[in-house]
Amino acid sequence: MNSLHIPYRKSFDDLPLEEVAQRLLKEGVVLSIDQVNWPRKYPDCPETKVFMAHDEQSLYILFGVKGKQLRALAVEDQQAVWEDSCVEFFCQEFGKPYYMNFEVNCIGVMAAARRLGQNEGVNLLSLEEMSRIRRFSSLKNEKIEEKDGVFEWKVGISIPLRLICPDFDGFPLPLQANFYKCADGTKSPHFVSWQPIDLPQPLFHCPEFFGTIILDA
């Protein structure tokens, strides 16, 4: 694949994240999470767009989703958000053995870690690190028992660049990455990605299938 370039936008960090979300819709690069990797068993593909930009300090990601079912049973960070209506961003610095996963449900509750694999070398982000990730949701931050229907929602996150790259020293900054939409515990489980995954069973913890994003200068 060609590299996806993430545009530089000055001083987003000074703005409320709700305002950044509106700016991303107009000024961010956009991609679709639409790779149905296991169509025979998991054919569902909620309409999911991702809008992105970065400034001097942070990477900004806005997910826009339209799909069946709505669920948010995880109400505290590091709970099983992937079982809810969930969107995810995984990334890895080139040359590093570990990658990072940022998983956020529809009400803005997040699970995040540095890891070598799904169950290998897992180091959950600390409370202090989690507090540095700003979040925005178009929904109220309260528990949602699963609902049937068609629902639209947005979730935005702001990730400090030094959380991803402790030795970050300027742009352009290339990263390996993939983006996902899932809802493991719902009536319509799905496992959709930006970059295709050629594995026999659903698995997102597979850096060998990451694409490339470049944070431009």
Side-chain angles (χ1 to χ4, degrees):
M1 62 155 285
N2 295 325
S3 300
L4 180 72
H5 288 262
I6 311 300
Y8 169 81
R9 297 291 181 261
K10 186 177 180 180
S11 300
F12 269 11
D13 224 35
D14 297 333
L15 303 174
L17 201 53
E18 293 87 344
E19 184 174 338
V20 173
Q22 293 302 313
R23 295 273 296 271
L24 287 175
L25 292 172
K26 299 177 181 179
E27 302 177 33
V29 68
V30 61
L31 63 86
S32 295
I33 301 177
D34 57 9
Q35 293 293 317
V36 181
N37 301 289
W38 301 278
R40 294 183 64 181
K41 192 170 184 180
Y42 301 106
D44 194 24
C45 184
E47 181 181 332
T48 308
K49 301 287 186 182
V50 184
F51 305 83
M52 286 180 293
H54 74 90
D55 64 8
E56 304 87 346
Q57 305 295 327
S58 302
L59 173 62
Y60 301 88
I61 306 174
L62 177 68
F63 297 87
V65 180
K66 180 179 180 180
K68 296 183 295 183
Q69 271 75 45
L70 187 68
R71 168 183 147 151
L73 299 187
V75 294
E76 295 184 5
D77 284 351
Q78 305 294 18
Q79 292 182 338
V81 297
W82 56 89
E83 295 183 353
D84 293 336
S85 303
C86 182
V87 287
E88 305 181 354
F89 167 61
F90 286 28
C91 64
Q92 183 178 39
E93 287 186 80
F94 280 86
K96 298 288 186 178
Y98 67 85
Y99 62 94
M100 299 190 72
N101 61 292
F102 300 92
E103 310 177 17
V104 57
N105 70 7
C106 58
I107 61 171
V109 178
M110 177 173 282
R114 297 179 183 87
R115 60 180 75 221
L116 298 176
Q118 184 177 26
N119 301 304
E120 179 186 3
V122 179
N123 293 289
L124 300 180
L125 295 195
S126 67
L127 291 176
E128 186 277 331
E129 289 174 315
M130 295 294 284
S131 72
R132 291 162 56 195
I133 304 172
R134 293 199 290 155
R135 304 163 220 176
F136 156 77
S137 173
S138 60
L139 304 177
K140 293 182 180 180
N141 183 228
E142 56 187 33
K143 183 177 181 179
I144 301 173
E145 298 288 346
E146 186 168 344
K147 301 177 181 179
D148 294 323
V150 177
F151 301 93
E152 296 188 47
W153 48 276
K154 293 182 176 66
V155 164
I157 57 176
S158 165
I159 306 172
L161 294 176
R162 290 197 180 276
L163 196 58
I164 299 172
C165 306
D167 300 323
F168 165 70
D169 62 357
F171 305 106
L173 174 62
L175 296 170
Q176 296 174 285
N178 211 344
F179 299 82
Y180 309 109
K181 173 71 186 76
C182 63
D184 300 25
T186 68
K187 295 177 183 177
S188 296
H190 48 269
F191 304 89
V192 191
S193 62
W194 169 51
Q195 291 297 298
I197 300 170
D198 186 15
L199 293 172
Q201 300 294 332
L203 180 67
F204 288 166
H205 294 267
C206 47
E208 64 269 29
F209 296 108
F210 286 3
T212 299
I213 63 175
I214 299 174
L215 279 61
D216 286 339

